[in-house]
Amino acid sequence: MTELLTLEAQLRLVGAALLAVGLVHAVLPRAIGWPADLSGTTLLTRQVSYAHLFFIGMVCALLGLLPLCLAPDLLAGTRLGTALLAGQTLFWGLRWLFEFAFFSPKLWRGNPFRTIAHLALSVLWTWVTAVFATALWEVS
């Protein structure tokens, strides 16, 4: 059990979680009602929205595969590993910030499903950012 608390194991777990986040993007439009919301928009807006969703999902999955498959390499202290950890820390740290500074509480207050999603994502982005920041600290 203490093996799960090692930094390498945490990086692998974060990687698996981010891979899952990437895969969830396949069902996200239906879960948040995009088909109905986008039905009144232009074809260009619909296609750009779905294209961006696809690429965001793919980036989440790829950013997850990196620590899932290469955690020891990220922790080796090389310039590339350190740069990748710094990039991940910045990226997910900004995503954490957006959870609180960009998304309006009006989107989730009073809606149990969205409130739970907001809380879960707040915890997820805090954990992800903390693991990458800790790894960056350790190798720097």
Side-chain angles (χ1 to χ4, degrees):
M1 186 59 140
T2 58
E3 209 173 281
L4 284 177
L5 298 177
T6 67
L7 190 52
E8 183 177 328
Q10 286 296 302
L11 278 171
R12 289 183 192 279
L13 289 171
V14 160
L18 293 175
L19 181 59
V21 166
L23 295 174
V24 163
H25 279 75
V27 297
L28 189 61
R30 292 225 184 270
I32 62 174
W34 267 22
D37 289 347
L38 292 174
S39 66
T41 64
T42 66
L43 177 61
L44 178 62
T45 299
R46 282 192 305 277
Q47 289 185 338
V48 167
S49 296
Y50 284 110
H52 279 110
L53 179 80
F54 171 80
F55 284 103
I56 291 168
M58 185 176 70
V59 166
C60 289
L62 291 173
L63 290 178
L65 284 173
L66 192 61
L68 181 63
C69 299
L70 300 170
D73 298 293
L74 291 172
L75 295 171
T78 65
R79 286 178 50 200
L80 179 59
T82 302
L84 290 169
L85 288 172
Q88 292 264 36
T89 302
L90 177 63
F91 185 90
W92 296 111
L94 288 172
R95 179 57 186 89
W96 176 87
L97 183 64
F98 266 59
E99 191 66 31
F100 303 102
F102 180 78
F103 293 109
S104 171
K106 292 177 187 175
L107 295 171
W108 53 269
R109 278 197 187 129
N111 181 314
F113 174 76
R114 288 187 177 186
T115 299
I116 290 169
H118 168 69
L119 293 172
L121 289 171
S122 298
V123 170
L124 176 66
W125 305 138
T126 301
W127 172 57
V128 168
T129 303
V131 169
F132 282 121
T134 301
L136 180 60
W137 177 267
E138 287 291 320
V139 300
S140 296

